[in-house]
């Protein structure tokens, strides 16, 4: 096991993995000291590479005299997802300040192999630390996956809206509103506003995409004609229309067959 410094927990950043530059390590140290002075929250960072490269979580908690307001972030390049967090999960103060989904999203956003490959471990450690220092209820900013998902929601919703409304108001219109309006709003627009209110460019882009796709579907016959199932009385009208479309000679043939069957039935009864 790696030996901890004999300094009584003075260092808030322990870079056993040598992933931080000297400037980055000192900057993190200053930021974490300032965080503790202003909020009494203790955020600690330790890095490593592979088994045995970092002290155990129990040793770290003892070294930093961890309490209910302590969060330890571990970054180990040897692991598939480099980020791990140790904290008092039952402490209501932690839950109200940083919800559990934040830790999960931090791992998914900054700890994955693709981010590390493109940005590096130091960038992941710094980005995750910045989020935790802010005490967010979600990780700010949009990931590529979230941006793509919002585009899918907006585009699909716009095409369906145009197709449904082109046929006029019906029962299907209200079914559409019940299902697809929440889908478009919650996944196509809301995340873009709540995650980065300082830059609403993606929100306006989605609004433009929605308007364009809706207009194309509503105004263009090829895209806008939607064949929806009929209900109730509409089905009766459809059957009548079908009957009216049968040729006269076919009707006469059917009538002759019916009369022949009736005559045969009557003959059998007379016998």
């Amino acid at each position: 096991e790696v030996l901890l410094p004999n300094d009584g927990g003075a260092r808030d950043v322990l870079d056993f993995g040598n992933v931080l530059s000297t400037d980055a390590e000192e900057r993190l140290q200053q930021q974490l000291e300032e965080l503790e002075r202003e909020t009494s929250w203790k955020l600690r960072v330790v890095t490593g590479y592979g088994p045995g490269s970092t002290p155990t979580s129990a040793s770290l908690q003892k070294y930093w005299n961890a309490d209910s307001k302590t969060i330890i972030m571990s970054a180990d390049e040897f692991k598939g997802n480099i980020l791990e967090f140790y904290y008092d999960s039952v402490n209501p103060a932690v839950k109200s300040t940083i919800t559990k989904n934040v830790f999960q999203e931090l791992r998914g956003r900054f700890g994955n192999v693709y981010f590390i490959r493109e940005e590096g471990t130091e960038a992941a450690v710094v980005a995750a630390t910045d989020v935790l220092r802010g005490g967010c209820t979600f990780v700010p900013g949009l990931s590529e996956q979230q941006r793509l998902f919002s585009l899918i929601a907006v585009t699909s919703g716009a095409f369906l809206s145009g197709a449904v409304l082109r046929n006029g108001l019906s029962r299907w219109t209200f079914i559409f509103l019940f299902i697809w309006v929440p889908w478009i709003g919650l996944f196509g627009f809301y995340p873009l506003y709540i995650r980065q209110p300082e830059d609403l460019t993606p929100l306006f882009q989605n609004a433009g995409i929605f308007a364009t796709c809706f207009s194309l579907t509503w105004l263009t016959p090829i895209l806008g004609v939607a064949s929806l199932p009929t209900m109730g009385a509409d089905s009766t009208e459809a059957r009548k229309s079908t009957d009216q479309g049968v040729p006269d000679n076919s009707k006469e043939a059917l009538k002759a067959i019916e009369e022949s069957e009736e005559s045969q039935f009557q003959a059998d009864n007379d016998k």
Side-chain angles (χ1 to χ4, degrees), residues 156-217:
S156 60
F159 279 122
L160 286 171
S161 299
V164 170
L165 295 179
R166 182 180 176 84
N167 290 275
L169 294 178
S170 66
R171 302 175 189 179
W172 292 101
T173 305
F174 298 104
I175 295 176
F176 169 84
L177 292 175
F178 179 76
I179 297 175
W180 283 94
V181 169
W183 161 263
I184 299 169
L186 293 177
F187 298 106
F189 293 103
Y190 179 73
L192 306 186
Y193 171 74
I194 198 66
R195 286 185 174 274
Q196 52 181 47
E198 72 283 353
D199 182 12
L200 298 180
T201 302
L203 181 66
F204 295 134
Q205 290 175 343
N206 276 20
I209 292 171
F210 181 88
T212 301
C213 295
F214 176 84
S215 299
L216 284 174
T217 313

Side-chain angles (χ1 to χ4, degrees), residues 7 10 24 34 46 82 84 96 113 140 151 162 164 172 199 203 241 245 270:
D7 57 8
E34 182 180 354
V46 58
I82 71 167
E84 288 187 4
S96 61
V113 65
L151 289 173
V164 170
W172 292 101
D199 182 12
L203 181 66
S241 299
D270 293 341

Side-chain angles (χ1 to χ4, degrees), residues 22-215:
T22 302
D23 291 341
E25 184 175 352
E26 291 302 322
R27 186 167 56 252
L28 282 177
Q29 178 70 29
Q30 294 174 5
Q31 291 173 343
L32 300 185
E33 289 176 353
E34 182 180 354
L35 175 68
E36 185 173 0
R37 284 195 305 269
E38 294 179 353
T39 67
S40 74
W41 279 90
K42 295 191 291 186
L43 177 57
R44 304 293 184 256
V45 177
V46 58
T47 70
Y49 188 83
S53 62
T54 59
T56 63
S57 60
S59 299
L60 291 170
Q61 290 173 356
K62 183 178 180 181
Y63 169 73
W64 278 313
N65 191 24
D67 54 23
S68 60
K69 299 184 72 175
T70 300
I71 298 174
I72 300 174
M73 182 177 71
S74 170
D76 189 341
E77 286 187 296
F78 187 78
K79 298 179 179 179
N81 190 299
I82 71 167
L83 297 180
E84 288 187 4
F85 301 93
Y86 306 100
Y87 59 97
D88 185 357
S89 59
V90 298
N91 181 16
V94 176
K95 293 181 178 180
S96 61
T97 304
I98 302 176
T99 56
K100 185 177 180 180
N101 68 294
V102 171
F103 296 107
Q104 296 171 343
E105 190 168 348
L106 282 173
R107 298 186 77 245
R109 179 85 67 86
F110 303 122
N112 67 80
V113 65
Y114 303 105
F115 185 91
I116 303 304
R117 185 181 301 161
E118 295 178 2
E119 304 294 336
T121 303
E122 180 181 301
V125 171
V126 172
T129 303
D130 288 343
V131 172
L132 291 175
R133 287 194 303 115
C136 300
T137 54
F138 57 86
V139 179
L142 285 171
S143 65
E144 292 183 6
Q145 293 85 352
Q146 290 166 335
R147 183 73 180 101
L148 177 62
F149 192 73
S150 73
L151 289 173
I152 293 174
V154 166
T155 305
S156 60
F159 279 122
L160 286 171
S161 299
V164 170
L165 295 179
R166 182 180 176 84
N167 290 275
L169 294 178
S170 66
R171 302 175 189 179
W172 292 101
T173 305
F174 298 104
I175 295 176
F176 169 84
L177 292 175
F178 179 76
I179 297 175
W180 283 94
V181 169
W183 161 263
I184 299 169
L186 293 177
F187 298 106
F189 293 103
Y190 179 73
L192 306 186
Y193 171 74
I194 198 66
R195 286 185 174 274
Q196 52 181 47
E198 72 283 353
D199 182 12
L200 298 180
T201 302
L203 181 66
F204 295 134
Q205 290 175 343
N206 276 20
I209 292 171
F210 181 88
T212 301
C213 295
F214 176 84
S215 299

